[in-house]
Amino acid sequence: MMAPSSEHLLVSHEAYRWFVTIVTGGASSYWLFIDSFRLRKALRADRSKGVVRDQIFGSIVGLTIGAIGVLGAVLSLS
Amino acid sequence: MASNLNPANAITATRFLTLPPFVWAIHHGYYQLAAVAIIVCGLLDLVDGAVARLFNCITPFGAVFDALADGFCYGFFMLVLVGYGWVPWPPVALIILMGVANTWLRAIYARRAGKTVNYRSFAMERCVAFAAYLGGFGASGYMVDYFYWTFVAMMALSLVHDAKRMAIDPVEADDDERDAGAPVAVVA
């Protein structure tokens, strides 16, 4: 097994780590925003339909994943 | 109906071309280049759906092919990272097992529905999008345990929910509404 190499770096390790943190935090925040909007919309629809109940569940999963991403980005800075 | 030999499916197929450069980069320890291969694969996943809508070539085969490409590419990235010891094997083993179970449940649902249909799970769509990031986290050594184990929890929750819908609950007439206007790229 070969360990991660410092050769052939596109950017410094420090800059790369910041890039990953910003992308993770940014994408997660976007998910939180989009899924809170979708959840609000689904909650206004006819909940007797299975597809609407699934949309609500999916949005809750999306919100949770968004929160996991934001928390992960914050924890990586500590 | 559009032919299966269309631009969208061609783009989906090109996603597999990112796998050899990924393996080469991991083998040589070039983690940033490995992440680039994963990013290209993810971008192609976004592009194929847009192309399908642009050229009006959305097909049932394309939806299934896209879902299979997601599972194969993201699963392959994780397996390679496990093979080289960059990520722990227990969460990846659980993810692969749940992926197989998910595919099996979809086959059951298609048989119950009596037609070729890719069950659209809104929760699993989010999990697949999350999975697209796991390879990058693993290749970068970025919060690996935290992201892999939280993914296992979210996928298990979604799978249990979907299992009931796909294998037990009656196939509802409104299930056809799931794919109405659904972007092909995110059909999971």
Side-chain angles (χ1 to χ4, degrees):
Chain A
M1 184 184 93
M2 208 172 278
S5 168
S6 59
E7 294 176 56
H8 291 263
L9 291 179
L10 303 172
V11 293
S12 72
H13 182 73
E14 186 70 12
Y16 179 73
R17 205 166 170 82
W18 270 107
F19 168 74
V20 176
T21 301
I22 290 167
V23 168
T24 304
S28 304
S29 304
Y30 175 74
W31 276 19
L32 280 174
F33 173 75
I34 290 292
D35 267 319
S36 59
F37 173 77
R38 285 178 177 158
L39 180 60
R40 229 176 13 231
K41 191 176 163 193
L43 285 172
R44 282 200 295 263
D46 178 7
R47 274 186 253 175
S48 65
K49 288 183 173 181
V51 67
V52 173
R53 290 196 300 272
D54 283 1
Q55 280 171 344
I56 292 170
F57 178 73
S59 294
I60 292 169
V61 167
L63 283 171
T64 310
I65 290 173
I68 287 169
V70 170
L71 185 63
V74 170
L75 287 175
S76 77
L77 296 173
S78 57
Chain B
M1 182 180 288
S3 163
N4 288 327
L5 290 172
N6 61 52
N9 288 343
I11 292 171
T12 303
T14 60
R15 295 176 64 195
F16 295 101
L17 297 178
T18 61
L19 304 183
F22 174 79
V23 175
W24 180 88
I26 292 293
H27 182 74
H28 291 88
Y30 302 152
Y31 66 98
Q32 292 183 5
L33 290 175
V36 169
I38 294 170
I39 290 169
V40 170
C41 185
L43 289 176
L44 288 170
D45 191 19
L46 294 176
V47 170
D48 64 5
V51 167
R53 287 188 295 276
L54 184 66
F55 291 98
N56 196 24
C57 52
I58 297 172
T59 62
F61 170 81
V64 174
F65 185 39
D66 185 64
L68 287 174
D70 282 342
F72 188 86
C73 291
Y74 301 145
F76 183 86
F77 291 145
M78 283 188 261
L79 283 176
V80 170
L81 290 166
V82 166
Y84 280 86
W86 289 26
V87 299
W89 68 266
V92 174
L94 287 171
I95 292 165
I96 300 290
L97 275 175
M98 287 190 282
V100 171
N102 185 40
T103 306
W104 178 63
L105 284 165
R106 280 160 198 280
I108 289 175
Y109 179 80
R111 199 165 55 198
R112 292 175 69 220
K115 60 184 177 181
T116 304
V117 59
N118 183 35
Y119 178 86
R120 187 181 182 205
S121 161
F122 299 96
M124 202 56 82
E125 276 178 11
R126 272 69 167 188
C127 289
V128 170
F130 188 0
Y133 287 84
L134 288 181
F137 292 142
S140 310
Y142 186 81
M143 303 290 289
V144 172
D145 285 328
Y146 170 79
F147 280 118
Y148 275 68
W149 282 112
T150 50
F151 179 82
V152 167
M154 296 315 298
M155 190 168 179
L157 193 65
S158 302
L159 189 62
V160 169
H161 175 269
D162 290 350
K164 182 175 171 296
R165 294 283 291 120
M166 286 192 273
I168 299 170
D169 288 353
V171 178
E172 295 179 21
D174 67 2
D175 276 359
D176 284 342
E177 291 175 23
R178 289 172 185 278
D179 288 334
V184 169
V186 294
V187 172

